[in-house]
Amino acid sequence: LFGRLMTRSDILVWLQERLEIEETYRRHPEIDEQELAPPVFITGLPRSGTSILFETLSRDRQFGAPANWEIMFPCPPPEATTYATDPRITKAEHLLGQWNRVTPTFPALHEIGARIPHECAVAMCCTFASDTLPVSYQIPGYYTWLLGADLTPAYAYYRRMLKLLQWRNPRRHWLLKSPAHTQYLPVLFAVFPEATVVLTHRDPIRAQASVTSLIGTMYWMRSDKPFDAASFERLLTPEAIAAGLEHVIGQIESGTVPRDRIHDFQFADLLADPATALAALYGRLGLALDESARAAMAAYLAAKPKGKFGIHSYDIGDPARIARERKIFHRYQQYHHVPNET
């Protein structure tokens, strides 16, 4: 019952969001004439540090990351003067809090809140063509359809949303994130030709075990159906994950996507020495890193130590299984110099 209530609430939010965006554009067609603030997209293997990097970089004022509340309730377009005190923040916090009330251990897997930066694939839910849907709901028929779908319209609509959000609250650079972008890099660069991409990397055996645990928990929130892992092989099996990672390598090597616009970032480096890792990333991006940004990012990381919301426990398999999967992921780890964590 509660899963049905949550799902109904989600769908109504997306439909209302889309209707209000269209009405705002109808009244203010000049919104579409804006030049989009140059976007920096963070993507990579799910559970490879995309979220912590996203939230850390968002402490730098030169970046503007869309918050959960403004994506859920984008109209009227947020104003710069009232952005931090908008009453929609409280409304969004209440709705998002349902996740933690249903599953109190969820914050240990993934923190969620009204002011936390929003994920692109979640924003695209109002287009009803998004990888967030099969990750949140056990819907294998939709998942099969999505595998062959053209997401160009969804990305184009997301660009439309970003223009609306910057209209009365300008950004110098958009900071955006979703692991799903790895599957659609040619579409991303076609719709956002000015984009720069940060590609995060982590031991795929560790990341795979974590994402399986996360998806299973999200399904459990909304349904008492058994977890049908066979219907979601592209999300869960080592062979399918490795094929996706190698597909990105092929796109880079063939020039299908611009190599000079893609910058690698190792999750292990962020854990070992955050300040050095972040400074090196800014250098590759060609962006200035001032002292106020350094201090803000360091303070954020210090206030969010590992295990702050509990320990996310999951099984990575026995040594024989790890050895087998290590061979499957060999090309990815060798190409991107990804260290083992197991």
Side-chain angles (χ1 to χ4, degrees):
L1 172 62
F2 206 83
R4 292 198 298 273
L5 292 172
M6 290 180 72
T7 301
R8 180 181 186 275
S9 174
D10 288 344
I11 292 172
L12 289 175
V13 166
W14 299 331
L15 290 172
Q16 178 177 325
E17 175 185 354
R18 190 176 180 104
L19 286 168
E20 291 183 344
I21 289 171
E22 291 305 308
E23 176 62 11
T24 302
Y25 264 95
R26 186 186 69 80
R27 294 184 178 187
H28 301 282
E30 68 273 17
I31 295 174
D32 201 36
E33 298 173 6
Q34 295 181 89
E35 183 176 340
L36 188 74
V40 175
F41 286 88
I42 298 172
T43 189
L45 189 66
R47 313 300 286 174
S48 66
T50 55
S51 293
I52 188 63
L53 179 61
F54 185 35
E55 294 169 21
T56 302
L57 293 180
S58 72
R59 304 292 124 174
D60 184 346
R61 293 185 179 181
Q62 72 177 302
F63 290 125
N68 279 323
W69 72 266
E70 62 180 319
I71 291 291
M72 293 176 71
F73 307 113
C75 299
E79 303 270 356
T81 54
T82 58
Y83 185 77
T85 59
D86 195 292
R88 287 171 285 186
I89 297 172
T90 302
K91 183 179 179 181
E93 194 70 49
H94 174 73
L95 287 173
L96 292 168
Q98 298 287 18
W99 292 54
N100 299 342
R101 285 188 281 275
V102 174
T103 309
T105 57
F106 190 73
L109 282 74
H110 188 75
E111 187 180 3
I112 192 167
R115 288 186 169 89
I116 289 177
H118 197 82
E119 190 163 315
C120 307
V122 181
M124 292 181 197
C125 283
C126 72
T127 71
F128 294 89
S130 169
D131 283 69
T132 293
L133 297 175
V135 170
S136 302
Y137 313 97
Q138 197 166 185
I139 42 177
Y142 175 88
Y143 180 60
T144 300
W145 169 82
L146 188 66
L147 290 175
D150 178 10
L151 261 68
T152 302
Y155 274 81
Y157 202 83
Y158 187 43
R159 185 181 181 98
R160 186 176 176 86
M161 293 170 70
L162 294 172
K163 283 188 175 184
L164 181 144
L165 294 177
Q166 73 175 39
W167 181 39
R168 293 176 175 171
N169 185 24
R171 270 80 164 184
R172 286 171 58 190
H173 294 278
W174 275 113
L175 181 66
L176 309 167
K177 170 258 179 179
S178 177
H181 291 316
T182 57
Q183 302 169 51
Y184 310 108
L185 287 176
V187 174
L188 185 154
F189 281 112
V191 176
F192 295 91
E194 64 277 82
T196 299
V197 170
V198 177
L199 191 60
T200 63
H201 302 289
R202 185 185 185 184
D203 182 344
I205 293 176
R206 177 71 66 179
Q208 175 201 354
S210 180
V211 78
T212 301
S213 172
L214 175 64
I215 293 174
T217 301
M218 293 178 73
Y219 288 166
W220 181 89
M221 283 182 172
R222 291 176 168 84
S223 175
D224 55 6
K225 291 171 58 179
F227 183 18
D228 181 15
S231 296
F232 301 91
E233 287 188 345
R234 193 186 74 174
L235 289 171
L236 301 174
T237 66
E239 292 81 3
I241 294 169
L245 294 170
E246 292 182 23
H247 183 64
V248 173
I249 293 173
Q251 291 176 331
I252 292 172
E253 292 188 329
S254 68
T256 304
V257 295
R259 184 66 183 96
D260 62 336
R261 308 292 290 279
I262 299 176
H263 304 280
D264 294 331
F265 185 82
Q266 301 288 345
F267 180 61
D269 292 345
L270 183 65
L271 294 181
D273 188 347
T276 300
L278 292 169
L281 177 61
Y282 272 72
R284 293 194 295 274
L285 293 174
L287 297 175
L289 176 57
D290 61 31
E291 288 305 316
S292 64
R294 290 177 189 268
M297 292 191 290
Y300 177 77
L301 289 172
K304 191 176 180 178
K306 185 176 181 180
K308 178 180 178 180
F309 298 103
I311 301 300
H312 178 201
S313 300
Y314 49 89
D315 181 18
I316 61 172
D318 58 36
R321 175 180 170 181
I322 292 172
R324 182 181 69 83
E325 294 184 1
R326 189 66 69 203
K327 294 178 182 178
I328 295 172
F329 292 117
H330 174 73
R331 187 182 181 214
Y332 163 73
Q333 289 193 254
Q334 183 182 52
Y335 187 85
H336 291 291
H337 309 289
V338 182
N340 295 346
E341 288 185 47
T342 60

